[in-house]
């Protein structure tokens, strides 16, 4: 299947002697994810398929990832992990066992009769989208891997476009429909339900994502040293970690460079800046604005002057290359104004392209939220007031997760997401 092919491609990029590296300090070593993707599928589907455990200790070891908050870094050592042949053998056996069972005569009834209350369609969608999420989050990780420890891959060329003209779009008062209707039968993660309508007063929002060039003005103006534009937690974080610029940037001999997936290039001023929520919030404050709420982002992306709402910012047509860099088309972004065909009814551009977008909204349940019975902690474990909602999508987001109701979330001091932002303000700017 496509999802497996994509994850296999990522692991094949990594030099064999780098599989035990930890490119992002807050995450597991790469070897964990080699086992985790198969272990997740096994733990999710095993009971419904009537399969016997192959290796209970490895099922547990590879069951869950980690998301430590502000300094709680993992302390495991190399010797704590199985050898590469052991992990790869486990993954092969799990994959083969699932394939045999799912191709067997018992498949149709077995998954539907899952004792955990799931259905075959839901469980399979969970397995597929979980893997596709990791295809993206693993790209974040491999982006931080030293360039000589991964094999270069091809990607689509960036089109030549004029320099973007900064500007804002006035969004009239109206409503935004968040989430999805459970009774529709459409797949969604538990945090996407139940659908609700939010009223949004008139506001203004940037036409494009904030670019590297715009953020560079903040850096040059001493934004990382200006206490007044940072929250207390954000200021303590950058002071403690010695953070002075975005994680994807590097300065050498007075010049700024961008670390792309496979090389370092002079900082492309018209590409979107990728930063943490704390950095995005500080920039917005410095510029006299703020981040949009989740409801405002929805209104700007999917709303229309008539009150109707679209499936996608540009209309009802499925995502396609002329609408943006997503669906695994590129490893790196392109200019913030590269996709005029993506503009919303109000004229906001690139809302599903070129990188996720931070919102001011904490990740919280919608009214009527019900956790998955077979995965109760998927969302609920993160309703802690420490994570923020992102909307949109990145160059490494699969098209199926560009649906309007999909919600992404990360903690505010995590710098490695392919996430940018745009600013908003009440009334007008």
């Amino acid at each position: 299947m496509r999802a497996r092919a994509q994850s296999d491609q990522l692991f094949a990029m990594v030099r064999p002697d780098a599989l035990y590296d930890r490119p992002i300090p807050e995450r597991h070593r790469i070897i964990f994810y080699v086992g985790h993707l198969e272990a997740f599928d096994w733990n999710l589907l095993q009971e419904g398929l009537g399969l016997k455990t192959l290796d209970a200790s490895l099922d547990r070891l590879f069951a869950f990832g980690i998301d430590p908050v502000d300094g709680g870094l993992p302390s495991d050592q190399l010797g704590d992990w199985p050898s590469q042949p052991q992990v790869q053998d486990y993954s092969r056996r799990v994959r083969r066992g699932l394939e045999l069972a799912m191709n067997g005569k018992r498949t149709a009834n077995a998954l539907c009769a899952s004792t955990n209350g799931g259905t075959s369609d839901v469980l399979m969608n969970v397995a597929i989208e979980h893997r596709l999420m990791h295809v993206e989050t693993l790209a974040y990780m491999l982006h931080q891997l030293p360039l000589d420890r991964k094999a270069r891959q091809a990607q689509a060329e960036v089109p030549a476009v004029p320099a973007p003209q900064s500007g804002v779009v006035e969004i009239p008062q109206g409503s935004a429909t968040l989430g999805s209707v459970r009774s529709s039968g459409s797949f969604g993660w538990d945090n996407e339900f139940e659908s609700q309508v939010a009223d949004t007063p008139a506001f203004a929002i940037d036409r494009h994502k904030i670019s590297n060039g715009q953020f560079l003005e903040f850096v040059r103006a001493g934004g990382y040293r200006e206490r007044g534009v940072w929250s207390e937690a954000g200021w303590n974080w950058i002071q403690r970690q010695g953070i002075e610029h975005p994680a994807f940037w590097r300065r050498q001999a007075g010049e700024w460079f961008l670390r792309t997936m496979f090389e370092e290039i002079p900082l492309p001023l018209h590409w979107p800046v990728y930063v943490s929520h704390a950095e995005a919030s500080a920039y917005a404050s410095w510029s006299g604005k703020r981040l949009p709420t989740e409801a405002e982002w929805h209104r700007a992306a999917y709303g229309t002057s008539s009150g109707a709402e679209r499936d996608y910012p540009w209309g009802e047509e499925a995502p396609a290359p002329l609408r943006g860099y997503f669906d695994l088309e590129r490893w790196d972004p392109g200019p913030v104004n590269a996709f005029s065909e993506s503009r919303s009814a109000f004229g906001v551009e690139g809302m599903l392209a070129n990188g996720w977008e931070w919102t001011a909204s904490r990740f919280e349940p919608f009214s009527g939220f019900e956790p998955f019975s077979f995965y109760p902690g998927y969302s609920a474990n993160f309703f802690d007031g420490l994570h923020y909602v992102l909307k949109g999508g990145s160059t490494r987001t699969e098209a199926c997760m560009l649906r309007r109701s999909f919600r992404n979330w990360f903690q505010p001091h995590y710098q490695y997401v392919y996430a940018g932002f745009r600013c908003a303000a009440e009334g007008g700017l």
Side-chain angles (χ1 to χ4, degrees), residues 390-402:
L390 300 99
K391 294 295 297 185
S394 84
T395 60
R396 306 307 297 170
T397 303
E398 183 79 22
C400 63
M401 290 181 286
L402 296 175

Side-chain angles (χ1 to χ4, degrees), residues 123-142:
L123 293 177
M124 287 305 301
N125 274 292
V126 165
I128 291 168
E129 289 203 1
H130 168 266
R131 185 177 292 262
L132 290 172
M133 289 179 197
H134 274 294
V135 165
E136 180 164 355
T137 59
L138 281 167
Y140 306 161
M141 178 177 291
L142 299 189

Side-chain angles (χ1 to χ4, degrees), residues 39-85:
F40 181 90
D41 291 352
W42 182 265
N43 291 331
L44 179 69
L45 303 174
Q46 173 193 0
E47 183 176 354
L49 288 169
L51 297 171
K52 296 184 182 295
T53 299
L54 296 176
D55 191 319
S57 64
L58 293 185
D59 290 348
R60 289 191 298 271
L61 178 65
F62 294 124
F64 298 108
I66 52 176
D67 183 34
V69 176
D70 285 352
L73 302 180
S75 58
D76 58 276
Q77 303 299 310
L78 281 174
D80 297 333
W81 296 94
S83 68
Q84 180 181 339

Side-chain angles (χ1 to χ4, degrees), residues 167-307:
V168 298
V169 176
E170 304 284 344
I171 309 296
Q173 178 182 3
S175 62
T177 304
L178 309 182
S180 185
V181 179
R182 189 176 284 111
S183 61
S184 70
S186 299
F187 174 73
W189 293 85
D190 55 7
N191 66 75
E192 296 177 52
F193 303 103
E194 185 60 37
S195 178
Q196 62 185 41
V197 176
D199 292 326
T200 61
F203 66 100
I205 191 167
D206 288 331
R207 185 178 303 278
H208 302 114
K209 287 181 176 67
I210 298 300
S211 67
N212 285 319
Q214 290 171 295
F215 202 84
L216 183 58
E217 295 175 12
F218 170 72
V219 174
R220 287 174 170 167
Y224 281 85
R225 301 187 299 275
E226 189 173 333
R227 171 66 184 86
V229 302
W230 295 84
S231 67
E232 181 177 358
W235 180 254
N236 291 339
W237 169 63
I238 65 168
Q239 293 299 301
R240 185 172 61 250
Q241 300 295 329
I243 295 170
E244 299 179 340
H245 56 77
F248 292 85
W249 292 15
R250 188 175 68 85
R251 193 174 189 181
Q252 183 177 356
E255 299 294 327
W256 287 102
F257 293 83
L258 180 72
R259 183 193 186 98
T260 69
M261 179 62 92
F262 300 112
E263 61 183 336
E264 285 190 351
I265 63 174
L267 186 68
L269 299 181
H270 304 320
W271 289 15
V273 66
Y274 287 164
V275 290
S276 68
H277 184 275
E279 292 164 297
S281 298
Y283 175 95
S285 177
W286 172 79
S287 63
K289 306 171 192 175
R290 59 174 175 79
L291 298 182
T293 65
E294 183 177 5
E296 287 173 334
W297 195 96
H298 264 262
R299 173 77 173 143
Y302 306 112
T304 67
S305 57
S306 70

Side-chain angles (χ1 to χ4, degrees), residues 310-386:
R310 297 172 167 181
D311 285 343
Y312 299 100
W314 54 81
E316 311 310 314
E317 300 86 1
L322 77 164
R323 311 290 188 187
Y325 290 136
F326 35 59
D327 204 21
L328 313 180
E329 277 195 72
R330 275 182 56 83
W331 298 96
D332 304 305
V336 296
N337 62 326
F339 310 107
S340 60
E341 295 294 324
S342 72
R343 66 171 59 97
S344 73
F346 294 119
V348 186
E349 296 185 16
M351 299 194 81
L352 295 190
N354 247 356
W356 294 92
E357 298 189 20
W358 289 108
T359 74
S361 299
R362 285 184 168 85
F363 182 56
E364 296 174 341
F366 291 148
S367 177
F369 168 79
E370 295 178 6
F372 282 151
S373 59
F374 52 86
Y375 195 174
Y378 171 73
S379 298
N381 286 354
F382 302 95
F383 296 149
D384 54 10
L386 301 176

